[in-house]
Amino acid sequence: AQKITQTQPGMFVQEKEAVTLDCTYDTSDPSYGLFWYKQPSSGEMIFLIYQGSYDQQNATEGRYSLNFQKARKSANLVISASQLGDSAMYFCAMRRNYGGSQGNLIFGKGTKLSVKP
Amino acid sequence: KAGVTQTPRYLIKTRGQQVTLSCSPISGHRSVSWYQQTPGQGLQFLFEYFSETQRNKGNFPGRFSGRQFSNSRSEMNVSTLELGDSALYLCASSRQAGTDPHEQYFGPGTRLTVT
């Protein structure tokens, strides 16, 4: 069975500093995708970044990068130059890829990030 | 273009009642997925619809059901509400089932409170 583990319930970071949010996963599927979402207090899930299991390079999207270590089954999110607007819940998620289609998202419990001015 | 819309945004119901939540996907999107978010269980997948057909279902009791209409709008229904059904219900739409993850967009959610 697939499982996502986020061990940090809450994190604090100083504005303009970088922060790493941890995510480990467990799956027996050979092909899968890893996602990070941001959920502000408004409730909407905002897609941040995606890493495919066969991607050779770590994904980057602006200030977000994903530190993918396949052998260790980890997919940590790095946010550079934190901003006050980054304060939110962050969820790591996984989805299996099989055949030509993809399964549903499996989410971790989330990490609440607070950015201090 | 307009994003995913969910109605109502907030809802208060009594135990034993039933409720229907609505999700309108982004124009041109044909796949709709539903998720339940609670403090205790986190985010859990309910079901996915594509072209009016349920394509995938999570591990929820039969009290939870859904459907999709020909215009891709989707509804989910919960019958005989229990206190534990209090949650944020999120809908996500994508152009087709199992598509590029960049194309899956979430709505703002419906917050259901059961008293």
Side-chain angles (χ1 to χ4, degrees), chain A residues 33-58:
Chain A
L34 295 157
F35 306 74
W36 278 92
Y37 286 88
K38 172 184 177 182
Q39 187 179 42
S41 56
S42 60
E44 185 172 351
M45 299 289 282
I46 302 168
F47 167 78
L48 294 178
I49 197 166
Y50 168 81
Q51 178 86 42
S53 58
Y54 289 115
D55 293 342
Q56 296 295 316
Q57 293 189 327
N58 287 343

Side-chain angles (χ1 to χ4, degrees), chain B:
Chain B
K1 56 183 175 182
V4 179
T5 57
Q6 292 187 244
T7 56
R9 291 293 312 278
Y10 302 92
L11 203 52
I12 300 175
K13 288 286 188 178
T14 305
R15 266 184 305 176
Q17 288 185 317
Q18 73 151 8
V19 67
T20 299
L21 311 182
S22 179
C23 171
S24 293
I26 291 171
S27 178
H29 286 195
R30 296 168 61 192
S31 173
V32 173
S33 298
W34 288 89
Y35 292 83
Q36 181 199 62
Q37 184 176 21
T38 60
Q41 298 299 317
L43 280 146
Q44 294 183 286
F45 171 74
L46 281 156
F47 23 66
E48 178 188 11
Y49 285 88
F50 176 70
S51 293
E52 302 179 65
T53 301
Q54 187 179 88
R55 189 173 174 275
N56 198 3
K57 189 178 190 303
N59 189 25
F60 277 81
R63 300 185 296 107
F64 291 81
S65 63
R67 59 178 176 169
Q68 187 179 35
F69 302 93
S70 58
N71 62 358
S72 295
R73 188 178 70 87
S74 176
E75 288 181 347
M76 66 162 282
N77 184 276
V78 187
S79 62
T80 319
L81 283 165
E82 300 177 0
L83 295 179
D85 297 333
S86 294
L88 179 67
Y89 290 87
L90 290 162
C91 162
S93 84
S94 56
R95 198 174 298 275
Q96 62 186 38
T99 188
D100 188 309
H102 293 252
E103 288 198 352
Q104 184 171 64
Y105 298 93
F106 281 83
T110 293
R111 187 165 295 280
L112 171 66
T113 302
V114 182
T115 61

Side-chain angles (χ1 to χ4, degrees), chain A residues 96-112:
Chain A
R96 67 161 60 101
N97 299 335
Y98 48 93
S101 62
Q102 297 163 352
N104 53 279
L105 290 165
I106 307 293
F107 287 89
K109 295 291 188 184
T111 295
K112 184 174 183 179

